[in-house]
Amino acid sequence: MGKSPLAARTRLAYQTIMQGFPADLRKLASRLEQLAREAGAIALTDFRLGERTSAEIRLKGGGSPVTDADIAVDRFLQQGAKAILPEAGWLSEESADNPERLERDWLFIVDPIDGTTAFLRGDPRWCVSLALIDKGRPVVGVVHAPALDHTFLALRGGGAFLNEEAIGVSARADLQGAAFVAPTEYQDVLGDSLYELHFVKRNPSLALRIAQIAMGDADVAIAKPNARDWDIAAADVILSEAGGALVELDGDALTYNRPNPRRDMLVAAPKALLGESLALAKAAARRGS
């Protein structure tokens, strides 16, 4: 069966937008997307749908799990990224942080497997998250979920795409009846509002939760404090290019390549809903403190 006219138009839009970028940036984005896909293929060799991973599992210092697949993907991405843009710094969940990165304009921020807990138990909701930062803001973001056959890609100023089809945030005008993705401990507070919100099951991967908002699959997502830049950098530019915003409670655009990659409470929402969403998140934060 051939592609629908809508699919053909969105594919043409993707090609047109990509052609509108400087050749170097188009080539760079294409190479990073391919790198993320190849990394996903490496991870898939140890993924068992509905079953425990074949990779060895151990605990890191903070008690969170890491698998041999995380490490293998991290090494592959670091080698590949260095070959693509040698002058860029590197920040990854599974690599020792080198403060020398703070002196670089360009920085790769990577989570080799975002959603490791899902990966190790056979849940397909995990992804490779790869962002390129220029002077503190992401310019290219790839979130590749190979077990779901989903590849999100965005270039700053060029739109956001899922499997080469343009995506956008919800067109909802207000929060009445909105679909929220939120931690369980915040749902009572949020549910007490007058908006009659309903709650969507949380994805184990924060990058994919933010991508849900970018594609309009849910309206707003709230994440409790303690996320790290590698969880969100790629999804940040995808959401921004889809018409949304990812912010902390101050409401400002996030900057990257800071000494401490830890984040406060996060809100992901369409720009039209950001003010109301921030007010609800602040109320939840006050009640939860």
Side-chain angles (χ1 to χ4, degrees):
M1 183 180 295
K3 286 190 175 181
S4 69
L6 176 59
R9 286 199 298 273
T10 53
R11 170 65 178 162
L12 179 60
Y14 175 80
Q15 293 173 330
T16 301
I17 288 170
M18 290 293 282
Q19 287 299 318
F21 275 84
D24 287 349
L25 187 55
R26 292 202 313 271
K27 182 178 179 181
L28 184 61
S30 178
R31 291 180 71 184
L32 293 179
E33 180 184 5
Q34 183 60 33
L35 183 66
R37 287 179 178 275
E38 291 172 3
I42 292 171
L44 277 176
T45 62
D46 284 313
F47 178 70
R48 302 290 182 267
L49 184 63
E51 300 176 2
R52 186 180 177 89
T53 178
S54 61
E56 183 179 341
I57 305 166
R58 54 192 178 278
L59 297 180
K60 294 189 284 189
S64 60
V66 63
T67 71
D68 284 349
D70 292 84
I71 304 304
V73 171
D74 186 69
R75 290 174 179 165
F76 174 80
L77 287 171
Q78 189 168 15
Q79 292 171 358
K82 185 175 179 60
I84 291 171
L85 198 63
E87 62 269 35
W90 177 261
L91 177 64
S92 167
E93 180 174 14
E94 307 304 345
S95 300
D97 190 10
N98 184 348
E100 185 268 344
R101 66 178 169 82
L102 300 171
E103 307 301 320
R104 305 291 183 96
D105 285 339
W106 294 96
L107 175 71
F108 288 107
I109 300 183
V110 170
D111 194 340
I113 299 180
D114 184 46
T116 296
T117 301
F119 174 86
L120 64 84
R121 67 173 183 245
D123 182 332
R125 296 173 298 166
W126 54 272
C127 66
V128 177
S129 178
L130 171 60
L132 177 62
I133 308 300
D134 179 25
K135 298 180 178 66
R137 284 293 294 162
V139 291
V140 179
V142 185
V143 171
H144 175 53
L148 297 173
D149 193 26
H150 284 174
T151 304
F152 296 88
L153 172 67
L155 288 78
R156 187 168 68 194
F161 299 88
L162 168 57
N163 296 347
E164 298 189 353
E165 297 193 8
I167 57 173
V169 296
S170 163
R172 183 180 293 277
D174 57 50
L175 288 182
Q176 192 65 35
F180 258 64
V181 184
T184 303
E185 58 263 43
Y186 296 152
Q187 291 183 12
D188 285 346
V189 178
L190 297 170
D192 286 343
S193 73
L194 300 178
Y195 291 111
E196 298 181 346
L197 306 176
H198 70 274
F199 297 101
V200 177
K201 187 175 181 180
R202 289 172 71 238
N203 195 303
S205 159
L206 179 53
L208 289 177
R209 271 179 260 158
I210 297 168
Q212 276 184 275
I213 309 306
M215 66 189 295
D217 195 41
D219 297 304
V220 179
I222 293 176
K224 57 188 176 183
N226 214 36
R228 302 298 199 271
D229 283 350
W230 47 74
D231 300 313
I232 63 172
D236 184 345
V237 66
I238 292 166
L239 178 59
S240 176
E241 290 301 317
L246 178 67
V247 298
E248 292 175 308
L249 295 184
D250 61 8
D252 295 334
L254 303 180
T255 58
Y256 296 87
N257 206 10
R258 310 164 307 141
N260 185 353
R262 182 187 179 278
R263 291 293 173 179
D264 200 349
M265 192 176 193
L266 292 163
V267 177
K271 290 177 182 176
L273 303 180
L274 188 58
E276 290 177 297
S277 300
L278 272 170
L280 282 179
K282 290 175 182 177
R286 285 193 299 271
R287 287 271 294 273
S289 61

